[in-house]
Amino acid sequence: MEYANWSIYSLENDVEKRQSHNALFTVGNGYFGIRGFFEEDTIGEVGNGGIYIAGINGDGVDKRAVFEGKRRDLCNVMNVLRLHIFVDGNQLNGVDGISNFRRELDMQGAVYTRCYRYNDRLNVTLSRFADMADVHRIRQDATLVADETMDLTIRALIDSNVTNLNYESCEPMPIQPGVNHIVSREVGTDSIVTLLDDEDSTRVFAGQQIMLTVNDIAVEGSIYNDDGISGREWNISLKAGDKVALCKLVAVYTDKDGADSEQKIGQFLTSKIDWDKVDAAHKNCWAERWATCDIQVDSDTDDQTALRYDLFELMCVCPTHTDRVSIGARGLTGEMYEGCVFWDNEIFQLPFFTFTDPASARRMLAWRYHGLDAARRYAQYNWFDGAMYPWESCEKGREQTALEGGGFYAIHIIADIAYAIRQYLSVTGDNAFILEMGAEVLMETARFWASRADYSEWDGHWHINAVRGPNEYDVFVNDSAYTNTLAALNLRTAAETLTKIKAEAPAKFVELCAKTDFDFSETEKWLTIADGLYICYDEKRHLIAEDANYFNRRPLDLNRAKPTAKRIIDSTMNYEWLAVYQITKQSDVVTLMCLLPELFSEAHQLAAYEYYEPRTAHDSSLSYAPYAWLAARLGKAEQAYEYFKNCAYLDIADIKLNTISGLHFANFGGTWQVAVFGFGGASFNDGKLIVTPKLPQAWNGMTYHLICHGVTVEVKITKTTVTVTAQGGDLPVCVAGKDAVLSDENSTITVKL
Ligand code: BGC
């Protein structure tokens, strides 16, 4: 991959790497995720396309029982960008006759472009974007310039002959195409309706409008419909220098967008398109978004581009149109994890949105609120109280983990959601959210912990038994330090929030009590449990144990257990064996210390870093960012930077060998946290922004942007100074140890380092 500040590009047209690169070149707008597939290809692509719509899931291939139904499966919907291109009767297939190949992702304008020369006589340029100004639209452009006389046939199509791509493997190897989730389809003129095999029998409606010019003169196409295909065809005789330009706008709606989806397609098909305006509106949206989140890095490395790529993909997947979906572990870029949402969102991705796009963070937390009833039912099903949020959620907030599997144990997700709400409130001051939704989630999750924790007469402590912490190589542990600490915080936050509402919004409090059958005295038990939850701790070494048994196990020789980059469980051992050893799949206690530094002294943090690092296999993409962040905080600059590189380039360099099955969104969010919280040294507590820079050696400086309590902040760090500028209100700051209150009159502070 090549790096060019605002873009990444590749000159390789290697069919072996095609699908992995297709994931990398994904563009999206929170409604669509569109992999970088070749529109005209006939041989290098599996499944036909790779377009996903947030919340559109089919009937799962994995037939294991899950809570309230069958497992779901993110579906590859119609390929609305399909092109057939023939030159003198020969169909372009994306491989043969190609030279000067280049594909590029422009992250500033959010456009993906691919160009090449065909048989040394035709220049082809194809580009597309998922419209950010109207998320139901996709724009496609094709320009073909002939060097000599030739007959060209071009068809611009909506093609419903698709299957899922089925790239679930950890190795980039071609495998069988996946299932087809389309049960039936109706082909119209420039439009198709498909019916999916999901539990709601969702219909997906797609329509297209096309303008084609030859040397800037419009040419009408004829209807080209085929089995499951709707489109237009042009047969054109070209002379040397002739230029064909095709502009296409696609509109897609589904039943989930409202009852008038069919009408909306009808209106779209007869509307007049201002092509320039479509471009301009999309670009403006992206310019606005970058203004509040871009990070500028002054360095001789490619870090600037890699970091921008990570933020770009986060923005591409962020739903701005609804609070009925959230972001899955692989977003809308691949089928691994079937589109499910994990703790990845609350702990890794959300901070980026909370600090740079609070409206989007609010929508994603609102999505958890909409899942509250499903979480209540799941708690009841498992014989607990309150709300038991699922480990893997579908868009309806129901558990998607197989019933016999980890969902019952991996309950730290519940406290992670509470953590994210607490962080959102602290950074935004959005009390209205707490009153409307947040308080109820905090209350029901606290009730869950109160029913899940056990008091032991034997040792006088409270325990949470049989859980799976972030370290998934310990499937079944007692008193996970991560889980217990965050559960205690959940219980305390809920008690504090309800105390505040009782005092400050009594009418709302009464309403909440009536709705949830809540008695304020419940908070007493919550606080008792929070104070009594057991954390296994070695005082002499200042060392927090990952769980009650970790220190008792034997060390594992990682060289033997993990001879290659492959995960241990894919190479040498299974879960049963792993339980014998001290082995940490991904940062666990280290993540905890990143999230709640106020609870741990520097000695604790250092001891944890040094003890767990050699015991960590990094067999999850979620592992590197916390290590980088904690290393930066502890002043281990070199190690911090080494870990940062794993994060920033994780997908671009395919470090986990499974980018083919989708990009790693938790890692993208983690990368942002390493840059801003780690190197940028930012934290926000009790209404105050603290900036304590920890730049890596390889960077001469960095500038980042935040929004805290509605105040927009720019932090500019060089090797010798740090400057913080605030706009839009008063903001207490502590910059490199110096306190100040920034305001409209006094908006900047510069401190020498
Ligand atoms: C990790 C989990 C993560 C999941 C989805 C697993 O490999 O261990 O922590 O939530 O992937 O990204």
Side-chain angles (χ1 to χ4, degrees), residues 329-330 337 342-344 391 412 470 472 567 585-586 619-622 666:
R330 299 305 185 88
Y337 298 126
F342 294 68
W343 73 308
D344 305 36
W391 172 239
H412 65 84
E472 298 188 345
R567 300 184 303 178
K585 176 185 178 189
Q586 62 204 83
D619 278 358
S620 157
S621 64
L622 280 65

Side-chain angles (χ1 to χ4, degrees), residues 546-566:
E546 214 179 79
D547 60 75
N549 205 28
Y550 198 91
F551 291 157
N552 300 331
R553 300 198 192 103
R554 67 183 68 170
L556 176 65
D557 177 357
L558 264 175
N559 291 328
R560 184 170 175 201
K562 189 174 154 80
T564 65
K566 278 187 182 176

Side-chain angles (χ1 to χ4, degrees), residues 100-119:
N100 296 12
F101 176 90
R102 177 183 174 108
R103 56 166 147 176
E104 177 156 18
L105 190 60
D106 162 17
M107 299 178 291
Q108 195 164 26
V111 178
Y112 165 53
T113 302
R114 189 161 49 86
C115 47
Y116 56 85
R117 237 172 118 60
Y118 175 67
N119 276 352

Side-chain angles (χ1 to χ4, degrees), residues 72 80 103 114 133 157 180 192 202 298 315 397 404 478 538 607 650 659 663 681 691 702 717-718 733:
R72 317 279 297 283
V80 293
R103 56 166 147 176
R114 189 161 49 86
L157 311 168
N180 170 14
I192 293 194
T202 305
D298 175 7
M315 290 188 276
E404 72 277 11
N478 297 334
D538 176 349
L650 187 116
T659 290
L663 305 175
V691 179
M702 74 182 293
I717 302 168
T718 68
V733 293

Side-chain angles (χ1 to χ4, degrees), residues 136-137 251 253 257 260-269:
H136 294 277
R137 309 275 190 267
Y253 293 88
D257 299 317
D260 56 350
S261 290
E262 194 162 9
Q263 287 91 304
K264 284 202 172 129
I265 289 292
Q267 284 158 11
F268 167 76
L269 289 174

